[in-house]
């Protein structure tokens, strides 16, 4: 009886144990910096991606997973120099001609650019791409909103397109330059959009012809999985939930051309692993080559062995996101700026960066990215000073009158304890730690705060409807020219806007409005410096820290460099002697 | 039929006699059960472990706390732990010199601290992720919180989730099972369909759905676990009621005109409890396991609380910190095992016994 | 017999409605708006800059349009009726996340989860039945106590712990590399491989997940087998068989085993609902693209159509399983078939 099942177990074990223990053998990694000569093509890059793309439609997908992949497949009119961040033409021949009144932009299109199926790119395709964005039946309302100011576009000649804008805004060049060029013959084979102009599309959707509606439905439904663009990498397959594969286009139009990024790697495989620990294990065992984001703990403890260092190189760099505590400026407790300043003094920001982030970050005091010229370096950071905080609170009227350990104050005739709730979204361990550390410090000084963790959609809802006392959140900062209007202008507080804390300052409003119309960079910088100084005094947020990111890349990849926007796998190549997956471009 | 008052009174006496008869049966049964139970060393060991855990849970504040039992300071003596209870129920206040103070750093004070001189939620950013040492017997987590303190206080949560969730399950299950088993016919039909529905729904999935969508709270978690795990109890109860219903003492009680409710809950139920008891014990074990899975997935536990599952969750993000995985994992394991052994021991003792009574 | 079958089939209908109703209500009544989630750019947009207020009007309109397209602005009972109607035509609608027909997403992942669970059911039976038999034939011996204790110990080990430890210690990383750290196939898996190689690769990847999914079933089933076999062993006809002079082995094989195996069929019905539940943890930890993982992600993304579809599909599968096991039982065990009529 017992032996019988043992036999079965043995069979199973044998079957399982027969598996390959090392998937592909590593070529020997010897020596450090060696000159491998000129870049060659070949080999694959297996990247870690945290979540499966929702879909691979260039316009309707909005998640991080898809944009990561589509960035290699599609190209836009302009791009940015990775180092200087200056505009560089891509599909366009040069930067646009801008009219005196800043309301007309004219782009000339390259004549040698082609799509991945060999067909040339013409003005018609660019016009189509614009119409697709503006089409109200295409499921991309949040992208469309950025092009609200674009009221018309038409072709001056087959290779020249002219845009008409509603109001002057110095970032319009960036917005127009970012239009992804889609092949009309692929995404609209029946030319359904030919009959309407861009101006027509801005009118009442009900008056549009049926063909437009048909296009929208078709576009939404049939193009989620097979993107076709003009970029250096073509879509090969997508195993849902597991992997997306892109293959280098050997006939890429940009091959050998100056000023265009040259691709070398034959395949890009995006492996979906939604768990960081599992991903690190796969990195170490050879089934991943590149992890863009290592968790702080993994960086400090899990990736420092001899063997790891032999196989991988780590890169530490600033990520343009910052985390903050947002105080609801309409809340009776937080209306007083002294209370807000006290909170900042009570937050051990440096200690948090050291202990919670393992040093992977830096304390910041402003909304602007650290490396932008607009950043005000003269801001004096608020030190961690509980004494000062208690003094500020006392000034503001808070003291413990009933000996229960909690500060209180008489507000509207009632003795109110200094009690409030900090909301955070679930699934973010770092923010949770930040909230808990703050909580502990607050409790020590008589402030009865509590933390509430909410599911993302509920949390988002509460934030937008201003149902919170305090929140821990983050913003993505732009490495290119910033625009703080959406977050800090008082008009953005109503109607679920991004000014969720209801911040209102007339001078700041003025500055933000003036800034948008200012085309002179120096003057813009001055304006924003004033803006940051006001915020610094008022502390509507307690700015916490800007994050640092650590990436791990297998050593065989050459030309790996850190740029303001991070790493650029498109530049990487592997010398022939070290290639792991060979250099055949045959498909599976 | 109509009864005059004296007749009714005499029926009442008979009623109470039969019920006290079964009560006598029950009391005799349980002390007998205990005697037989003691003969099983493994189950007995489990029982002692359970008692130990309950003790820790109840006295957690006295076992792990950063306030001392006894404090001599500036000429006066205090009992801070007791005082903190009183302040919480608003029967006392802190004297100014002891307000929000770190008791370990009081100058010139003589204090007697509990064996684990830390709070479960006491953050200490200077000592994150320390391995077990003389200072911290089970090490610390990523925010410097003492793991042993966390486990002591976490036992409260685990055990209370177990008790309350199963309590809810028992109430729902026994009532529904009793009705189905006693009345039979269409009540049974409808309720059995309900069983099928509950059994077919993937409970863990449902749990995740509900717990993830609603704001995290311990009570909610207890309630949901309870509301999804009553079917086993209900079925056992139903089967027992079906079986016992046809026994002589029951049919005679009914013939005597005892109300349905009384028959069900005073005559049948005490004898139907045996499998329910076993289910209760096993159910507590199950609830603790489920709670640890939910905590691990980050669902259902409020951010400030430290539970066994939440410490385990941290372990998966810091795999070198083996103490974060071993101790809570082991604690969950031992607790569940103990309950399971007790449950099995009880089943062994009660089952054949019941058969003997038939 | 056919009357019984018919009755059972008819009774499935209210059960089915009950299940779908509960599932529907849970999803709809929970707070959180999928339209808003789409507006925020999915779950990854924790730090995006959001939409400015002037454009808010356009966004709100877009969201309203989207909601009406999916019928989310109708009253609840209408939504439920519509959904049931679609169900009749086997159309589960389209996922909110990526507009793919939900049925496709489920069909893609169903075989994977089914394989995983089928194997684990097989393993549970293969291990637990012999264990149970051994315990029953050597009751109260040391061996019996040890196997019992071992089974309990396994039951008590939390799945999340065991899975994490397995992943860390056995799957590469800093310790041993005996098994792959997740996924269903190796990175250089090719369709050109011979069949046996493909099977080997899949087996290697599935070994740990299957073992982890099954270990807690050992306790329950082996105990159940043991007690049912003990009950049969105590019956009169077994004594008679022994008295007739039959060898112990024949007695067991011919009479006891068959009769004690019968109730094990019913356990199958109660294992089935664990299909998605147990898989969720394993599939998440081992990155296996099955229904459990889909369920978890869909819940977080408020992808109503997918969650409802998953709940329904699992419920239906379970109902079918219960029905089959009930029917099997009544065919095989005449006592029950007759007994029911007496009740």
């Amino acid at each position: 009886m017992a032996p019988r099942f043992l036999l079965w177990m043995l069979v199973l074990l044998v079957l399982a144990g027969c598996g390959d223990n090392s998937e592909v053998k590593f070529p020997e990694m010897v020596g450090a910096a060696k000159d491998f000569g000129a870049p060659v093509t070949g080999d694959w890059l297996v990247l870690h991606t945290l979540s499966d793309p929702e879909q691979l439609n260039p316009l309707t997908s909005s998640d991080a997973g898809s944009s990561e992949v589509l960035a290699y497949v599609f190209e836009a009119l302009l791009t940015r120099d990775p180092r200087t961040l200056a505009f560089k033409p891509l599909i366009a021949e040069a930067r646009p001609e801008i009219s005196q009144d800043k309301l007309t932009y004219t782009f000339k299109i390259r004549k040698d650019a082609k799509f991945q199926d060999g067909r040339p790119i013409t003005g018609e395709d660019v016009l189509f791409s614009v119409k697709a964005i503006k089409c109200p039946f295409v499921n991309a309302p949040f992208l469309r909103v950025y092009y609200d100011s674009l009221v018309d576009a038409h072709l001056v000649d087959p290779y020249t397109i002219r845009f008409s804008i509603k109001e002057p805004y110095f970032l319009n060049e960036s917005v127009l330059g970012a239009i992804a060029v889609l092949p009309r013959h692929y995404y609209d084979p029946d030319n359904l959009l030919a009959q309407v102009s861009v101006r027509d599309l801005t009118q009442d959707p009900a008056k549009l012809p049926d063909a437009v509606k048909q296009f929208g439905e078709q576009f939404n439904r049939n193009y989620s999985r097979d993107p076709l663009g003009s970029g250096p990498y073509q879509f090969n397959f997508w195993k849902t939930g597991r992997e997306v594969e892109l293959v280098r286009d050997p006939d890429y139009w940009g091959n050998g051309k100056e000023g265009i990024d040259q691709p070398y790697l034959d395949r890009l495989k995006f492996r979906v692993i939604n768990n960081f620990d599992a991903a690190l294990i796969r990195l170490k065992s050879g089934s991943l080559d590149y992890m863009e984001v290592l968790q702080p703990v993994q960086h400090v403890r899990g990736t420092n062995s001899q063997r790891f260092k032999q196989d991988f190189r780590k890169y530490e760099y600033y990520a343009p996101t910052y985390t903050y505590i947002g105080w609801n400026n309409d809340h009776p407790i937080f209306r007083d700026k002294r209370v807000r300043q006290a909170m900042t003094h009570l937050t051990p920001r440096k200690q948090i960066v050291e202990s919670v982030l393992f040093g992977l970050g830096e304390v910041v005091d402003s909304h602007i990215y650290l490396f932008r010229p607009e950043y005000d370096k003269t801001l004096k950071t608020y030190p961690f000073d509980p004494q000062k905080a208690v003094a500020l609170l006392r000034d503001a009227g808070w003291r413990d009158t009933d000996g229960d350990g909690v500060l209180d104050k008489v507000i509207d005739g009632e003795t109110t304890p200094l009690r409030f709730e900090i909301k955070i979204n679930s699934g973010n361990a770092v923010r949770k730690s930040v909230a808990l550390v703050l909580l502990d410090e607050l409790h020590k000084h008589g402030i009865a705060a509590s933390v509430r963790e909410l599911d993302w959609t509920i949390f988002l809802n509460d934030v937008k409807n201003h149902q919170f006392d305090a929140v821990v959140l983050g913003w993505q900062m732009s490495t290119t020219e910033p625009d703080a209007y959406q977050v800090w202008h008082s008009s953005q507080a109503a109607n679920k806007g991004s000014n969720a804390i209801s911040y209102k300052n007339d001078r700041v409003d003025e500055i933000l409005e003036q800034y948008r119309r200012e085309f002179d960079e120096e003057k813009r910088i001055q304006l924003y410096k004033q803006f940051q100084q006001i915020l610094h005094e008022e502390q509507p947020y307690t700015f916490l820290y800007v994050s640092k990111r650590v990436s791990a890349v297998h050593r065989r990849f050459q030309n790996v460099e850190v740029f303001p926007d991070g790493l650029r796998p498109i530049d990487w190549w592997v010398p022939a002697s070290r290639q792991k997956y060979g250099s055949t471009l045959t498909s599976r | 039929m109509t009864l005059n008052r004296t007749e009714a009174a005499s029926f009442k006496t008979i009623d109470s006699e039969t019920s006290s008869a079964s009560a006598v049966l029950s009391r005799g049964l349980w002390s007998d059960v205990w005697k037989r139970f003691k003969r099983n060393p493994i189950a007995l060991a489990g029982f002692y472990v359970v008692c130990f855990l309950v003790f820790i849970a109840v006295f957690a504040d006295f076992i792990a706390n950063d306030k001392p039992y006894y404090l001599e300071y500036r000429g006066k003596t205090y009992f801070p732990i007791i005082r903190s209870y009183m302040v919480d129920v608003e029967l006392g206040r802190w004297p100014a010199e002891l307000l929000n103070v770190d008791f370990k750093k009081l100058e010139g004070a003589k204090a007697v601290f509990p064996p684990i001189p830390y709070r479960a939620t006491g953050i200490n950013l200077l000592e994150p992720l320390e391995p077990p040492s003389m200072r911290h017997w089970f090490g610390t987590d990523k925010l410097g919180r003492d793991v042993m303190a966390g486990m002591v206080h976490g036992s409260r949560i685990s055990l209370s989730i177990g008790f309350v969730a199963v309590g809810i399950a028992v109430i729902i299950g026994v009532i529904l099972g009793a009705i189905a088993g006693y009345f039979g016919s269409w009540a049974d039909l409808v309720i059995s369909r309900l069983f099928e529905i509950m059994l077919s729904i993937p409970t863990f999935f449902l749990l995740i759905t509900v717990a993830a969508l609603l704001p995290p709270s311990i009570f909610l978690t207890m309630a949901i676990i309870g509301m999804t795990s009553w079917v086993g109890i209900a079925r056992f109860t139903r089967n027992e009621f079906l079986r016992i219903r046809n026994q002589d003492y029951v049919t005679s009680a009914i013939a005597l005109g005892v109300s349905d409710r009384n028959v069900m809950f005073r005559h049948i139920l005490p004898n139907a409890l045996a499998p329910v008891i076993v289910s209760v014990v096993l159910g507590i074990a199950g609830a603790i396991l489920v709670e640890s899975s939910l905590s691990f997935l980050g669902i259902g536990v409020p951010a400030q609380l430290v539970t066994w599952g939440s410490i385990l969750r941290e372990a998966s993000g810091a795999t070198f910190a083996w103490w974060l995985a071993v101790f809570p994992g082991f604690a969950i394991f031992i607790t569940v095992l103990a309950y399971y052994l007790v449950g099995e021991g009880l089943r062994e003792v009660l089952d054949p016994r019941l058969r003997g009574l038939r | 017999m056919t009357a019984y079958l018919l009755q059972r089939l008819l009774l499935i209908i209210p059960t089915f409605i009950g299940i779908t109703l509960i599932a529907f209500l849970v999803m709809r009544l929970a707070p959180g708006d999928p339209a808003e989630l789409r507006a925020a750019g999915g779950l990854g947009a924790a730090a995006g800059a959001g939409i400015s207020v002037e454009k808010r009007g356009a966004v709100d309109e877009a969201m309203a349009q989207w909601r009406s397209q999916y019928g989310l602005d109708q009253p609840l009972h209408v939504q439920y009726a519509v959904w049931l109607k679609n169900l009749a035509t086997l159309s589960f609608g389209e996922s909110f996340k990526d507009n793919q027909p939900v049925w496709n997403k489920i069909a893609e992942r169903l075989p994977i989860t089914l394989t995983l669970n089928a194997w684990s059911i097989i393993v549970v039976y293969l291990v637990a039945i012999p264990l149970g038999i051994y315990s029953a034939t050597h009751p109260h011996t040391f061996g019996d106590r040890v196997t019992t204790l071992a089974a309990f110990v396994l039951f008590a080990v939390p799945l999340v712990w065991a899975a994490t430890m397995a992943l860390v210690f056995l799957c590469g990383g800093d310790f041993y590399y005996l098994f792959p750290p997740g996924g269903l196939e190796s990175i250089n898996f090719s369709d050109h491989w011979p069949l046996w190689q493909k099977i080997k690769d899949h087996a290697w990847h599935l070994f740990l997940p299957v073992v982890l999914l099954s270990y807690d079933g050992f306790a329950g089933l082996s105990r159940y087998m043991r007690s049912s076999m003990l009950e049969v062993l105590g019956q009169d006809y077994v004594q008679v068989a022994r008295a007739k002079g039959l060898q112990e082995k024949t007695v067991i094989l011919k009479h006891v085993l068959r009769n004690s195996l019968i109730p094990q069929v019913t356990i199958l019905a109660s294992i089935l609902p664990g299909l998605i539940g147990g898989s969720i943890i394993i599939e998440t930890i081992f990155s296996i693209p099955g229904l459990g993982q889909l369920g978890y992600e869909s819940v977080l993304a408020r992808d109503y159509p997918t969650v409802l579809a998953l709940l329904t599909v699992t419920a239906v599968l379970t109902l079918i399983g219960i029905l089959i096991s009930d029917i099997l039982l009544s065919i095989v065990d005449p006592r029950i078939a007759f007994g029911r009529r007496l009740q």
Side-chain angles (χ1 to χ4, degrees), chain C residues 14 20 59 94 97 104 128 135 145 151 210 246 249 253 257:
Chain C
T20 53
V59 169
E94 282 161 10
K97 266 173 80 178
N104 289 6
S135 279
R145 290 236 183 263
V210 166
L246 287 175
K249 206 163 126 194
L253 275 179
L257 210 55

Side-chain angles (χ1 to χ4, degrees), chain C residues 112-129:
Chain C
I112 297 171
T113 302
L114 276 182
T115 315
L116 196 61
N117 285 275
W119 274 112
S120 87
I121 291 179
I122 292 177
V123 167
V124 170
Y125 271 82
L126 280 181
V127 171
I129 303 260

Side-chain angles (χ1 to χ4, degrees), chain B residues 186-263:
Chain B
W186 58 265
D188 187 13
L189 210 66
V190 166
I191 296 185
S192 291
R193 295 287 75 68
L194 198 58
F195 290 173
E196 255 177 34
I197 295 179
M198 289 308 294
L199 280 179
S200 317
I201 296 186
T203 22
F204 194 59
F205 187 37
L206 194 65
L207 259 175
I208 288 182
T209 309
V210 178
L213 300 180
L214 296 171
S217 116
I218 288 289
F219 296 112
L220 200 66
T221 312
M222 291 179 195
I224 310 171
I225 297 180
M227 289 197 282
T228 49
S229 56
W230 53 263
V231 181
I233 296 179
R235 273 176 142 194
F236 282 130
T237 313
R238 170 186 176 268
N239 291 344
E240 285 298 294
F241 267 66
L242 277 175
R243 185 179 60 80
I244 296 176
R245 194 188 180 291
N246 299 318
Q247 307 232 334
D248 291 339
Y249 66 93
V250 173
T251 42
S252 56
I254 296 177
L256 283 173
V258 178
S259 73
D260 281 333
R261 202 182 58 165
N262 275 337
V263 175

Side-chain angles (χ1 to χ4, degrees), chain A residues 477-514:
Chain A
M477 299 186 280
S478 95
T479 49
T480 56
E481 303 83 8
D483 185 5
Y485 182 85
Q486 250 174 258
V487 177
W488 296 104
H489 195 275
S490 60
S491 67
Q492 302 298 306
N495 218 341
K496 299 197 188 173
S498 304
N499 184 353
I501 55 166
S502 312
Y503 180 64
K504 185 169 160 58
N505 181 307
D506 294 327
R507 176 68 191 130
V508 167
D509 281 353
E510 253 176 46
I511 295 178
L512 294 175
E513 287 159 20
Q514 219 180 318

Side-chain angles (χ1 to χ4, degrees), chain C residues 33-343:
Chain C
D33 181 4
E36 195 68 56
L37 195 57
R38 280 191 70 86
L43 288 173
I51 315 280
S52 77
V53 155
E54 289 86 25
K55 323 211 166 167
R56 186 75 215 175
V59 169
D60 278 337
E61 235 182 79
M63 289 203 326
Q65 196 187 39
W66 186 80
R67 272 198 214 99
S68 81
Q69 189 187 350
Y70 280 98
L72 287 177
D73 48 356
Q74 307 272 12
L76 277 181
H77 57 271
V78 172
Q79 289 185 42
Y80 181 61
V82 167
W83 186 66
L84 273 187
K85 192 182 71 157
N86 285 335
L87 219 55
T89 54
L90 274 186
S91 124
F92 286 103
E94 282 161 10
S95 155
F96 285 173
K97 266 173 80 178
D98 57 6
N99 288 331
Q100 292 302 304
V102 172
W103 179 246
N104 289 6
K105 291 174 77 161
I106 292 185
E108 230 174 6
R109 292 167 180 253
L110 187 60
I112 297 171
T113 302
L114 276 182
T115 315
L116 196 61
N117 285 275
W119 274 112
S120 87
I121 291 179
I122 292 177
V123 167
V124 170
Y125 271 82
L126 280 181
V127 171
I129 303 260
L131 264 182
I133 295 176
Y134 178 76
S135 279
T137 50
H138 304 77
H140 305 298
T141 58
F142 182 67
D144 177 30
R145 290 236 183 263
V146 162
T147 43
T148 310
L149 199 61
F152 288 173
V153 163
L154 281 181
F155 175 77
V157 172
L159 182 61
V160 290
W161 188 38
T164 314
M165 291 290 98
L167 187 70
V168 167
F169 290 104
L170 298 177
C171 301
D174 290 326
F175 301 95
Y176 302 104
Y177 187 17
L178 296 175
F179 295 100
L184 278 181
E185 50 199 26
S186 306
I187 185 168
N188 48 356
F189 184 94
S190 161
D191 282 325
H192 304 303
W193 280 4
L195 186 65
W196 65 269
Q197 191 173 4
K198 286 195 212 173
I199 292 185
K200 212 177 69 167
D201 193 48
H202 280 303
W204 186 47
H205 280 85
L206 281 181
F207 183 75
L208 273 185
V210 166
V211 166
L212 286 167
L213 259 183
S214 358
Y215 76 78
D216 70 338
F218 296 159
L221 190 61
S222 70
R223 300 298 297 157
Y224 200 55
M225 180 69 201
R226 176 185 187 273
S227 64
S228 90
M229 200 164 154
L230 276 178
E231 186 181 338
V232 170
L233 278 174
Q235 299 282 9
D236 294 338
Y237 65 88
V238 172
Q239 309 289 29
V240 168
R242 284 197 182 121
K244 278 209 291 194
L246 287 175
Q247 278 189 331
E248 186 66 15
K249 206 163 126 194
T250 331
V251 171
I252 299 214
L253 275 179
K254 274 186 76 174
H255 299 282
V256 177
L257 210 55
R258 195 186 318 162
N259 291 321
S260 37
L261 276 180
I262 289 166
Q264 309 317 315
V265 172
T266 57
I267 287 270
L268 194 66
S270 54
I271 291 183
L272 281 175
L275 216 62
I276 279 195
S279 301
I280 292 181
I281 295 174
I282 297 286
E283 289 178 16
T284 307
I285 295 183
F286 284 90
S287 306
I288 294 178
L291 289 182
Q293 195 193 61
L294 179 66
Y296 186 48
E297 283 169 9
S298 307
V299 165
L300 292 182
R302 298 280 187 286
D303 189 359
Y304 297 157
T306 312
V307 175
L308 282 178
L310 276 172
L311 281 169
T312 313
V313 165
T314 357
V316 166
L317 284 176
T318 313
L319 275 179
I320 293 179
I322 294 180
L323 186 67
I324 291 181
S325 88
D326 264 353
I327 292 177
L328 275 178
L329 207 58
S330 30
I331 292 177
V332 157
D333 189 349
R335 293 180 303 167
I336 299 183
F338 290 131
R340 249 184 243 281
R341 287 212 220 115
L342 277 177
Q343 254 185 11

Side-chain angles (χ1 to χ4, degrees), chain A residues 530-581:
Chain A
Q530 289 177 37
F531 159 61
Q532 288 170 79
Q533 271 151 20
I534 301 178
L535 277 189
H536 191 63
E537 170 65 24
E538 307 226 305
Q539 291 293 304
Y541 285 170
T542 292
F543 293 96
L544 290 174
Y545 55 81
V546 68
S547 319
K548 267 183 165 182
R549 185 176 290 171
V550 178
S551 308
V553 183
H554 193 266
R555 272 185 192 269
R556 71 182 194 276
F557 292 94
Q558 307 298 312
N559 207 10
V560 181
E561 270 184 69
V562 176
F563 293 93
D565 275 323
L567 295 176
R568 286 169 42 93
I570 196 168
D571 293 335
W572 304 352
W573 59 277
V574 183
S577 57
R578 293 218 186 156
Q579 289 186 4
K580 183 170 164 181
Y581 297 103

